[in-house]
Amino acid sequence: DADVTQTPRNRITKTGKRIMLECSQTKGHDRMYWYRQDPGLGLRLIYYSFDVKDINKGEISDGYSVSRQAQAKFSLSLESAIPNQTALYFCATSDSLAGGPDTQYFGPGTRLTVL
Amino acid sequence: GNSVTQMEGPVTLSEEAFLTINCTYTATGYPSLFWYVQYPGEGLQLLLKATKADDKGSNKGFEATYRKETTSFHLEKGSVQVSDSAVYFCAPRGKLVFGAGTILRVKS
C-alpha cells in the first residue's frame, strides 16, 4: 500500500463549488504539506503543518484553507472554486529532523478541473 | 531569499546520450540539496541528495555534485534511457521551494 494517499485522484467541478481534497499518510511523519503544480511553474506551497496543532500559510494560500484532523490526515479545501485553481495538487510528508524538513514523500496527486 | 533556477526544458535526447540539467540556487546558509524526479502520472520522489559542499549524490546512474563556489547542483547521467523520461526538480533542503522542473524526453 502507498505511504501517502490522496483522494480523489481526479475531480471536475464548477465555479463556486466547495471542494475538499484529502490526504492520508502511514509514514508516521509529523510534517505535512500541500502543493499545487502548474505547467512551467513547478510546485508552489499552499499550506504546511509541522504537527497537529500547527498550521502555516505558504506562498499561495489565498482561496484555500486546510485542516489537520490527526497526525496522519491533512485536508485542503477550496471554499469557492474558481477556474484558475485548475491544477494538479500534491500532498507530501516529511520527518521532523533538525535543520528543517528533510526528504519529502509525495502522494500521487489530485487533478482538479474547475469549469 | 531562497530560490532555485533550473534550465528550461523540454530537453529531448536520443537513448544513450549524455544528460546535464543545470540547477543553481540562492539560499541562506548552505543547505543540503536534492533532486526529485516525477514520472508520468505520479508524484515526486527523491532521486538523490548531497548534504554538504563538494558532496556527490548518486542513484540510478544519475550524479550531482554540490558546488558551493558556484552555488550549483547540476544533474548528470552518462547514458540516458527511454525510462528516464520524466520531470526533474532541484530543491534545497528545508526551504519548501522547488525549481520549475525540467522535462526530459528520451527517444529510442
Side-chain angles (χ1 to χ4, degrees), chain A residues 4-6 23 89-93 105-110, chain B residues 42-44:
Chain A
V4 184
T5 57
Q6 293 183 233
C23 177
Y89 290 84
F90 287 102
C91 174
T93 74
Y105 296 86
F106 286 80
T110 294
Chain B
E42 299 182 10
L44 281 70

Side-chain angles (χ1 to χ4, degrees), chain B residues 19-106:
Chain B
L19 168 71
T20 300
I21 299 178
N22 293 337
C23 170
T24 57
Y25 67 92
T26 57
T28 54
Y30 294 98
S32 299
L33 295 170
F34 298 147
W35 275 102
Y36 286 85
V37 58
Q38 182 184 23
Y39 297 107
E42 299 182 10
L44 281 70
Q45 58 185 273
L46 181 69
L47 177 61
L48 55 82
K49 66 180 179 181
T51 57
K52 59 185 185 296
D54 299 325
D55 203 18
K56 178 185 284 187
S58 61
N59 186 27
K60 299 182 181 180
F62 290 89
E63 293 184 338
T65 301
Y66 187 155
R67 302 288 185 196
K68 179 179 173 180
E69 63 277 8
T70 55
T71 63
S72 65
F73 192 50
H74 304 325
L75 183 68
E76 297 181 335
K77 186 173 185 181
S79 177
V80 294
Q81 305 301 311
V82 172
S83 57
D84 294 326
S85 297
V87 186
Y88 293 82
F89 294 90
C90 182
R93 178 189 173 186
K95 307 302 181 183
L96 302 180
V97 295
F98 289 79
T102 302
I103 298 172
L104 171 65
R105 297 179 181 142
V106 181

Side-chain angles (χ1 to χ4, degrees), chain A residues 54-115:
Chain A
D54 176 75
I55 300 290
N56 304 281
K57 292 182 177 181
E59 177 188 355
I60 53 163
S61 59
D62 287 349
Y64 301 95
S65 62
V66 292
S67 174
R68 184 81 184 265
Q69 301 95 324
Q71 186 203 39
K73 296 184 182 295
F74 192 38
S75 60
L76 175 72
S77 293
L78 288 68
E79 297 301 326
S80 179
I82 56 177
N84 76 1
Q85 291 177 314
T86 293
L88 189 53
Y89 290 84
F90 287 102
C91 174
T93 74
S94 73
D95 208 341
S96 51
L97 300 175
D102 198 66
T103 304
Q104 294 185 56
Y105 296 86
F106 286 80
T110 294
R111 184 168 297 280
L112 176 66
T113 302
V114 183
L115 302 176

Side-chain angles (χ1 to χ4, degrees), chain A residues 16-35:
Chain A
K17 294 292 187 181
R18 184 178 188 275
I19 297 297
M20 178 180 286
L21 308 183
E22 299 187 352
C23 177
S24 294
Q25 54 113 347
T26 58
K27 298 194 71 67
H29 289 163
D30 289 326
R31 300 182 176 192
M32 298 186 74
Y33 313 87
W34 276 104
Y35 295 91

